[in-house]
Amino acid sequence: MILRLSNRACVLSGSARLKSTLSTFFDEMGKAGIILKSASTGIFENLALEDWIHDHVDLQNRSMLLLWRNCPVVVIGRHQNPWQECNLPLMRRLGIPLARRRSGGGTVYHDFGNINMTFFTSKKKYDRHRNLKVVTGALKALRPDLDVAATDRFDILLNGNHKISGTAAKLGRTSAYHHCTLLCSVERSVLSSVLKSNASEVIKSNATPSVPSPVKNLLDVDPTLDSNIIMDAIVSQYNNEFGFDGPVITVDPTHEALMPGIQKMAQDLQTWDWIYGKTPKFSVCTSIVVNDVNIKLDMVIKNGTVEQCAMEIPEDWLPSEMVNEFTSALNGSRYCSNEAALLVAAFMRTHSMTDDVAEKIHRLCAGVVSVM
Amino acid sequence: MAMCAALRCVSANFSAALPLLTRPAHIWTCQNSLRPNVLRTLSTSSRLSGALKFTDKHEWVRVEGTVGTVGISNFAQEALGDVVYCGLPEVGAKLEQMEEFGALESVKAASELYSPLTGEVTEINTNLTDNPGLVNKACYEDGWLIKMTIEKPAELDELMDEAAYEKFIKSLDS
């Protein structure tokens, strides 16, 4: 069962619609406003769903709202630097993946306690303030005393001082999407620890930075507010605000026949080249201290790959040819702790060295990896 | 911390492509100097005359010899708002007409850029790295985005000249 129409008795079966795609299905429905819920909690599938809708659905005379939630993940904006924005080693230890979305904006943490909303419109009808009115309107309809308001940065603040929603957007050829988060019951301790970079002081970059803000969950101020209640309220408010009578349709974003090309879109979003390689050029400048010896490390990383690597090392601490070869080995490699570790292991195997030198190279590597 | 007698700086720079910033400044003379809010209408524009041609996605291309310079129009930069980041392709990237070649991030959104022509990127405007606002301040001059070869000159005939583009944007307001 790929499509379920809640509130309607009939269910669409795949075989009856073999020739149709989701796009033609919407055209046939003839509704000006449609609400979708994703059946997936996978970030890449959901980002691909957004892209697919944006690219294939006729949004000139129709608007759509997509509601989705994900398993724990950190999502960075299109032109951001993940090393600067989040704690990648911690995320690896916790099994929290990283995704890069196609819209602009800053870095966010999602888990099941966060609701994502994507408002699809034509470029003409693109209006973030109006979309956010849907969200604040929905919350106030549920709890009239709730102090929630949108700022001119398109954040939504609770009680004037805690951020509960952030916004990002993408403008395409003829259509646009605006998506935002809503913190209902997110794990805040995880959020704050993963969104604090372990290497931001050593990085110099012109990537778009995030604006850190103190956050709160709606659940913190009202334990009776849960995600499902909130999503229902948003659906009603969306229809109210825009004068639609949109049905709510659940979509499975892995269904290739219904959305041709969507699986490749999801795969493209998972490549190293997109997630890390799209990072704007940046430089790393740090000191590694090994047994009271200060080693200066300078690297330039372009497309996520080490383009230049220089180390300032006292002459008698390590043989200079060895240092030369070590930095050459790093050159051209991905700025990635796994790859660096593999390189160093290979380096150790192919170079004969005393235990003392081996120990130093190990410590050097640990220092380099600590900023990856 | 004891500092030994000589500190040797060892660096390995194997990058084949020198950073573009070290190239000498490119002196670029513009035959039709256009201030962002004044569009001069030209009676004839041969392919090689350096006149502006526009796409319906609000990119412009100016041809000088065999090279086309690409940027976004004043209408586009106004609609975008303040540009905070320019995501441009690499030199050598091969582009098809209408293909997405990058994105501009502004306070409004990340907006895709679409190539007006088929060709290969020969230069990107590295001044935009530190000064992305040039796209707003001087969209037809210092705020250019890329330069590219023109593989299919006939594509230029499909684009709008300035007068046609002016008409086009007026029709959008309705």
Side-chain angles (χ1 to χ4, degrees):
Chain A
M1 206 189 296
I2 318 108
L3 288 178
R4 286 194 300 277
L5 292 159
S6 32
N7 310 332
R8 293 241 313 246
C10 82
V11 152
L12 287 157
S13 76
S15 55
R17 293 272 170 183
L18 258 177
K19 292 222 171 71
S20 290
T21 64
L22 193 65
S23 184
T24 50
F25 171 65
F26 291 147
D27 290 339
E28 282 162 28
M29 275 187 89
K31 293 279 187 184
I34 297 175
I35 297 157
L36 295 179
K37 273 190 178 171
S38 173
S40 165
T41 54
I43 184 65
F44 302 110
E45 292 166 359
N46 285 326
L47 289 175
L49 179 59
E50 273 186 325
D51 284 343
W52 195 94
I53 293 170
H54 177 72
D55 289 352
H56 293 100
V57 175
D58 180 2
L59 293 161
Q60 292 319 295
N61 300 306
R62 176 195 299 124
S63 297
M64 291 183 35
L65 170 64
L66 171 68
L67 296 168
W68 42 298
R69 290 190 283 172
N70 302 307
C71 296
V73 62
V74 171
V75 184
I76 56 175
R78 188 187 180 126
H79 300 122
Q80 291 205 294
N81 180 326
W83 292 279
Q84 205 173 26
E85 296 293 336
C86 51
N87 190 330
L88 293 170
L90 177 62
M91 284 161 59
R92 275 191 290 270
R93 284 202 297 277
L94 295 175
I96 296 176
L98 174 71
R100 179 188 299 267
R101 57 181 191 265
R102 295 195 192 277
S103 56
T107 302
V108 287
Y109 169 74
H110 294 178
D111 68 21
F112 218 58
N114 166 65
I115 300 173
N116 295 302
M117 293 159 269
T118 310
F119 298 85
F120 295 91
T121 58
S122 64
K123 264 167 109 161
K124 247 186 174 167
K125 298 211 178 107
Y126 173 68
D127 186 344
R128 287 169 295 176
H129 274 306
R130 199 169 179 194
N131 298 335
L132 293 180
K133 254 179 72 185
V134 169
V135 183
T136 53
L139 293 173
K140 289 216 241 249
L142 281 174
R143 304 284 184 269
D145 290 336
L146 207 57
D147 176 3
V148 286
T151 67
D152 49 16
R153 262 195 81 244
F154 308 102
D155 290 341
I156 298 178
L157 297 182
L158 177 63
N159 298 331
N161 49 23
H162 282 88
K163 185 170 165 178
I164 57 169
S165 167
T167 268
K170 185 181 128 159
L171 301 176
R173 269 182 253 259
T174 50
S175 48
Y177 64 74
H178 158 217
H179 50 202
C180 60
T181 53
L182 187 61
L183 296 177
C184 302
S185 56
V186 150
E187 286 289 349
R188 276 174 48 199
S189 54
V190 178
L191 184 154
S192 20
S193 52
V194 297
L195 294 186
K196 198 184 303 176
S197 164
N198 55 309
S200 53
E201 328 80 59
V202 308
I203 290 176
K204 229 179 87 171
S205 135
N206 72 328
T208 54
S210 295
V211 177
S213 315
V215 297
K216 225 176 192 159
N217 280 315
L218 283 165
L219 205 75
D220 294 337
V221 295
D222 187 335
T224 62
L225 276 176
D226 76 56
S227 308
N228 287 313
I229 291 176
I230 293 173
M231 284 195 283
D232 286 343
I234 289 170
V235 165
S236 301
Q237 196 65 22
Y238 181 73
N239 280 331
N240 275 343
E241 173 70 32
F242 294 103
F244 298 144
D245 65 345
V248 181
I249 303 171
T250 302
V251 178
D252 173 359
T254 63
H255 201 265
E256 180 72 16
L258 210 55
M259 291 169 279
I262 198 170
Q263 287 186 351
K264 177 167 192 300
M265 284 173 149
Q267 276 157 27
D268 288 346
L269 287 163
Q270 294 180 65
T271 61
W272 195 94
D273 283 335
W274 171 256
I275 299 178
Y276 296 96
K278 259 321 204 179
T279 307
K281 187 167 175 176
F282 66 100
S283 60
V284 173
C285 179
T286 185
S287 283
I288 304 169
V289 180
V290 181
N291 297 334
D292 292 334
V293 177
N294 218 337
I295 291 132
K296 206 160 156 291
L297 172 68
D298 279 288
M299 290 190 280
V300 174
I301 292 108
K302 189 172 163 195
N303 299 328
T305 304
V306 178
E307 191 185 59
Q308 285 174 44
C309 177
M311 288 194 196
E312 231 174 79
I313 294 184
E315 171 106 42
D316 59 350
W317 196 71
L318 267 185
S320 62
E321 323 82 64
M322 179 142 298
V323 177
N324 237 329
E325 290 189 43
F326 185 65
T327 51
S328 306
L330 284 175
N331 239 293
S333 69
R334 285 177 170 176
Y335 190 67
C336 160
S337 57
N338 286 340
E339 184 142 331
L342 283 172
L343 270 172
V344 172
F347 184 82
M348 308 284 277
R349 277 199 308 273
T350 55
H351 290 75
S352 64
M353 56 184 81
T354 63
D355 285 346
D356 173 59
V357 169
E359 161 78 16
K360 286 173 178 171
I361 300 264
H362 257 133
R363 301 278 292 275
L364 258 184
C365 177
V368 171
V369 160
S370 73
V371 291
M372 286 181 169
Chain B
M1 175 171 54
M3 272 303 193
C4 303
L7 264 179
R8 171 107 54 98
C9 177
V10 179
S11 80
N13 179 353
F14 286 71
S15 161
L18 286 168
L20 289 172
L21 285 161
T22 63
R23 274 206 214 146
H26 176 77
I27 319 275
W28 177 52
T29 48
C30 176
Q31 283 177 296
N32 311 305
S33 63
L34 293 156
R35 278 170 286 122
N37 49 4
V38 171
L39 282 180
R40 221 191 292 156
T41 48
L42 299 164
S43 47
T44 51
S45 43
S46 83
R47 275 182 211 156
L48 306 174
S49 73
L52 290 179
K53 288 300 212 79
F54 293 83
T55 71
D56 63 355
K57 304 284 167 291
H58 311 289
E59 284 97 13
W60 56 262
V61 58
R62 178 188 285 121
V63 178
E64 276 146 335
T66 56
V67 172
T69 305
V70 178
I72 62 164
S73 71
N74 185 53
F75 180 86
Q77 72 78 14
E78 266 179 5
L80 259 185
D82 294 335
V83 176
V84 299
Y85 187 83
C86 300
L88 299 174
E90 303 271 299
V91 170
K94 290 199 165 49
L95 307 177
E96 294 285 319
Q97 191 182 42
M98 297 258 279
E99 186 188 334
E100 184 230 313
F101 71 86
L104 296 180
E105 189 164 341
S106 70
V107 293
K108 275 228 161 125
S111 304
E112 315 244 273
L113 294 164
Y114 301 95
S115 183
L117 302 169
T118 304
E120 186 178 312
V121 178
T122 56
E123 211 181 317
I124 61 172
N125 187 351
T126 52
N127 289 328
L128 297 177
T129 311
D130 291 327
N131 206 346
L134 281 173
V135 175
N136 300 109
K137 290 195 277 273
C139 57
Y140 295 110
E141 293 154 13
D142 294 336
W144 63 275
L145 300 171
I146 62 168
K147 290 191 204 273
M148 60 190 297
T149 61
I150 302 167
E151 223 169 272
K152 302 181 184 170
E155 283 173 343
L156 283 163
D157 296 331
E158 295 162 29
L159 303 179
M160 290 180 266
D161 63 17
E162 293 175 42
Y165 180 66
E166 273 284 276
K167 252 177 144 174
F168 171 68
I169 53 183
K170 282 203 171 65
S171 75
L172 291 176
D173 286 334
S174 58

